[in-house]
Amino acid sequence: MNAPQTCPKCGSTLAPDAPEGLCPACLMAGALPTDATIKLTPSQMRTPPHGPVAPAPEELAPLFPQLEIIELLGRGGMGAVYKARQPKLNRFVALKIIAGDAAADPHFAERFQREAQALAKLNHPNIVSVFDFGMVGPRRTEDSPPHLYYFLMEFVDGANLRAMMQSGEMRPEAALALIPAFCDALQYAHDEGVVHRDIKPENVLVDKKGRVKIADFGLAKLTGGDAHDHTLTRTGMHLGTPRYMAPEQVEKPETVDHRADIYSLGVVFYEMLTGELPMGRFDPPSKKVDVDVKLDDIVLRSLEKEPARRYQHASEIKSDVQSVAGSATANTPPAAAAPLPAVAAEYVAQPRLSRMALIGAIWGLFGLIAVIPSVLLTKTVAFSQGKPSSLIYEPPPLAFTIFMGVLLCIGAGAPIGTTILGAISMSNIKKSGGKLHGLPLAFADTVFFPMLLLHGAMAVALGLLILTIMKLAGVNAGLGALEMGLLAMLPLIADFFIVRSLWRKMAGRAATVHSTHETPAAPSDVVKKPRKRHLLTTGLALLFFTAFIFGIDFRGSSVMTAGGRNSNAYVGAFDPWFVYEGTSKGFHHHLQPFSWSFFALVVAGITFGALWRVGREDDAKVPRDPAWWRDWWKQVGIWGGLLLIACVIRTAKDPQKVLQPITSSAPLIVAEKTETRETDHYLCRYKISAPPDHRVAVWLETTREGKPVVLPGLKDQVSFAEQHETGEAFDGHVEFSLMNGSRISPDSKGRWRWDFKFDSGKGRFTPGGWIDNPFDGKAGVIMDRGPERWQPKPGETVSLMVIRAGREFSGSDFTQQPPGGEVELRLKARIDLVPLFHRRVSGLSSTSTEPDALPETPLGRIAAGFEIDTKLPDDETRRALIEKLKTNPSKRADAEAILKSVGTPITKEATPEDVLKALEEVVKALK
Amino acid sequence: MNDSIAPGAREFQTTRWSLVLAAQHGGDATRAHKAMSELCRDYWYPLYAFVRRRGHAPHDAQDLTQAFFATLMETNATAADPRRGRFRSYLLGALKHFLANDFHRANAQKRGGGQQLLEWDALEPEARYALEPAAETDADTLYDRRWALDLLDRAMKRLRGEFAAKKDESTFDALKGTLSGAEASREDIAKKLGMSEGALKVAVHRLRQRYREVLRAEIAETVDSTGDVEDEMRHLVAVLRAS
């Protein structure tokens, strides 16, 4: 045997079927063009009409090796700002780079340095700090300055004032709250001798905690505050934004001092209050919006054209503003960052659609979406067990299972989730006094799933009623599809009235409460509400737990196939909570008390509980309950109790049986029974038709001497069930065949094959057990043969085979030791109709090979397939093997295939003994 | 003409897969049918291996593959999406779908019945399958891998055939190692073949070129546009490396 070869290039082992003895991977790779290294060329800084193109983060990265450039935050007049990270310090920073054009000025470097140092001195909580600055990139020529100028600044995680103003109408209170911090920053900078020159809403940042930070101090000077620089005007917003510039900045820029900032502040202030810019002849703020008249003076004074007539210090503005706003905002300590949580939050969301109602609706939709595809996916699974010659299990990929599982878990929680979110949202909306809207949506959330269930319950009740009446009247029939459809529609009438009255009750009250100047709810209301909520939760949850009893289930199973052990998990919707087991009395249900659906429920419950708490605080602004833990235990108690109830109900007798009369009124039709008696076999065949959504189950029992006997290899395979969930009727055969065996003599140890002998022609079986009536829902077709008794003679054997749809399930594969003397055999078979009240959702599996799987090496295969040990077989086994080869054509074919594959083919004329010999040779060679 | 076929496909009108795809949009149906049957004849083995790996017995696998092809021929790949032009993935998807709808199997046997698309005995499917490495348990990977290997086999056979026609097979044998990048000592080869180093370089280069052409042509048969060929190659390399 040659040693396995390896590829000299990649080192992998070469398979014997490698093309031309070459490594296939390298061979294929050799046909590809050589990979040109992809060079990242930094983009040229073009100046299209709307401004220079900002480089991509990857292009910047090589220039800043100590930084991780994350993303472009925005393009400003001067350049671009990026979010970056300093890994060593583990903090985020903002990297601002200045466009090449701006840096073309030869004196730029000098100015840059000066300014940067001035900025670095500024250290104030309301000013964005500068950490570093410099120049990077290659120089175009010896004399020209380097490519890029940059600033490394504090990263502010928030929004700028422009965004805030655009998101909603900025209320005067927010402006008044902002201004003090703003003034502090300005005053501090002015004291340090730095003038901003470019104050505008884009440069005022508010972080998530509500702190105000002014950015880009003094940078306007860098880009040449000269109005004569034409490049700036071409590219647009380089030179401060004219609208915010003080008049002297425009006309006599060299005379500009800190009072220009005051003017810009005034403009921003005006814009915050009124939403417009003060242009030409403008109205004072109090005339445009509802603000204190005293503010007018402040704003107008800041906007004086003559710098001398303006406020001379930012701090003066602050004190004036504070005195107008009242004591509420007076005590903001100048050095500390004044948080604006309430203000900022209000601005971002006001007046708004109730988030809860929206989430509830989305969740509900999602739940519906999760269920529908699961129902539609029933076709993907076909099931079978047994030897490879049987049907195949067809598993979709694992990722799909996981996806479906997650989907179903979330979807499972939807009914409860949506309803409760809707209910709470409704009360929130009512309480919010106009701040939240979306009452109809919340109402829909609240009632949708309960109404769905109610509707279903009404339809079912109606159906039961009708059936009972029919039975009492002596009419023995079931309900057809048409009738059931009508039943489903009827309760719609009731639905309409119920929904209407509910709406009136719930929404009616809201209509009177809905006015903008409603005072907040009295404290007593706040205290009462939680109890009502709990009741609501409990009631609704109870309703849905009942629904879950018929609900979603996960199931796992483990099947041996030729390729190994197949472990499968599948997800079923409305699966019956039982497994079938066949007995002589029919199919028996065993309940599965524990399953994945419980897990799904628990997850849904916990998630929902958490959501509820959060939502309460957020939406309704109910102050956090100081004794929150009390509330927590209550929730656990409720959910735990419900879970327990569900468990109890589940372990009780299968409630589905209640519904069976409605669902399984269809008969099993045994259309034909044929019996064939030959000299060597007896065949009994039933042709049966099963209606859609029913399963045909076959069960077989053999007894010997009155005791049930397990036929090795037969038991599992016979009590299979044919799944037909495709909606089509099943039309097939179930065959039972008894075959006279061969002439093997007793073995040396005196063991006998277990017989079932019959005389040719006369037969020892009387056709019996044939029940000539349609399926009545309780008993299936029973075949009962025997008991037959006989005394086996030496050399007599009979094998019992079960054939289904032309395929054998067992050959002459069993032996039993007779206890001596007479042998009795009884054969009973039963065909049952089992209604399917479930849909298989999806099946997913992961195949794992376990040690007891069929080994796949040639040696192993031979050994397993022919039951020869790796040591050579002894005579007895040999004889058995020869017998097998003689009688079993597929075994023979397997042998021939194996022999051919190892290069020693064998002709069809060869005797079984020769074949065996050849196999043995192979075994020897492969060892 | 057919606007819905992927751009660049026009130059590939003569490849078999593009013929089949073209047939969906009013292209020549008889040619497409013939092309389809040729494709089936060439690419049966990866499908067979896939079906076997899924757990079917040899005889069943044969039946299924046969039935699958019969179905394919009948529908003439009408379900193929021309924007995703790979025959390989299309075929696998169709096979999976076919296998999942198990009840079609029984009917297909009646339908396809008689018309033997493949001579199973001569093809010796099981003998080949017996050689598959047991390490893989994933039928999908096996399929792809088999596909790639078959492709390479075919390409190499063609190359060998070309050399044999020139009565030059020994040269091919000596040089074939260079195709996978395995750099055997060039001087040794030159000596063995009685060539100068320069001549050897030329010969190697020519062989390489021809190999590339042949392989790409093979792959092109199964994709829809030029751009896809390299993609497909890269994918197959990945598959081969992984196994």
Side-chain angles (χ1 to χ4, degrees), chain A residues 27 247 267 269 464 512 587 620 685 687 715 741 778 806 871:
Chain A
L27 197 57
V267 179
F269 201 171
L464 279 169
T512 57
F587 273 80
R685 175 190 281 177
K687 180 169 177 179
K715 183 206 175 226
K778 290 189 184 60
K871 56 185 194 307

Side-chain angles (χ1 to χ4, degrees), chain B residues 21 41 83 96 122 130 144 149 165 175 181 200 202 211 228 239:
Chain B
L21 289 178
R41 232 172 288 258
R83 278 165 290 141
K96 282 186 184 173
D144 273 353
L149 286 172
L175 291 179
L200 182 68
V202 170
Y211 162 67
D228 286 350
V239 165

Side-chain angles (χ1 to χ4, degrees), chain B residues 57-75:
Chain B
H59 195 77
D60 274 355
Q62 286 183 19
D63 287 347
L64 281 167
T65 319
Q66 178 82 24
F68 172 64
F69 280 139
T71 321
L72 267 189
M73 295 304 294
E74 267 184 45
T75 60

Side-chain angles (χ1 to χ4, degrees), chain A residues 697-764:
Chain A
V698 177
W699 161 88
L700 185 71
E701 177 191 273
T702 47
T703 57
R704 236 177 115 226
E705 262 94 31
K707 294 187 210 102
V709 145
V710 170
L711 303 178
L714 200 61
K715 183 206 175 226
D716 290 330
Q717 292 156 13
V718 178
S719 50
F720 75 96
E722 181 78 11
Q723 312 266 2
H724 282 270
E725 300 169 63
T726 60
E728 295 174 9
F730 167 66
D731 211 0
H733 297 98
V734 177
E735 299 170 350
F736 299 99
S737 162
L738 301 162
M739 206 162 157
N740 194 1
S742 53
R743 303 134 291 267
I744 298 179
S745 48
D747 63 19
S748 51
K749 300 199 182 125
R751 283 186 303 208
W752 296 88
R753 291 284 180 83
W754 187 53
D755 288 324
F756 201 164
K757 187 175 185 243
F758 56 88
D759 294 331
S760 61
K762 296 192 198 110
R764 291 160 78 146

Side-chain angles (χ1 to χ4, degrees), chain B residues 4 6 16 22 24 26-27 54 59 64 70 104 106 108 116 119 127 133 166 168 172 182 196 206 208-209 229 239:
Chain B
S4 50
R16 288 178 281 178
Q24 295 177 50
R54 278 291 183 92
H59 195 77
L64 281 167
H104 281 159
Q116 275 281 71
E119 305 300 323
K166 293 184 284 176
D168 218 1
F172 177 75
S196 67
R206 269 208 217 116
R208 254 234 155 91
Q209 284 294 105
V229 172
V239 165

Side-chain angles (χ1 to χ4, degrees), chain A residues 8-9 17 19-20 22 24-28 30-31 33 35 388-389 391-392 394 726 728 807 856 861 901, chain B residues 54-56 60 105 127 130 134 146 149 152-153 156 160 176 179-180 182 211-212 215 230 234 236-237 240-241:
Chain A
K9 181 154 184 179
D17 58 352
E20 294 289 336
L22 297 170
C26 297
L27 197 57
M28 180 76 80
D35 279 328
S389 64
L391 306 168
I392 300 342
E394 182 72 17
T726 60
E728 295 174 9
R807 201 156 264 115
E856 283 292 309
R861 231 176 299 154
S901 73
Chain B
R54 278 291 183 92
H56 294 260
D60 274 355
R105 180 171 56 98
R146 261 319 343 156
L149 286 172
L152 286 170
D153 263 334
M156 294 307 268
R160 182 175 277 281
K176 69 184 181 186
L179 290 176
S180 65
Y211 162 67
R212 285 215 185 101
L215 189 63
E230 282 207 14
R234 272 189 240 275
L236 293 174
V237 172
L240 287 169
R241 286 234 185 272

Side-chain angles (χ1 to χ4, degrees), chain A residues 61-85:
Chain A
L63 298 173
F64 297 98
Q66 325 87 330
L67 295 179
E68 282 172 25
I69 317 272
I70 298 172
E71 59 175 351
L72 177 67
L73 287 174
R75 267 194 304 117
M78 275 175 278
V81 183
Y82 297 80
K83 179 177 180 180
R85 196 174 148 266

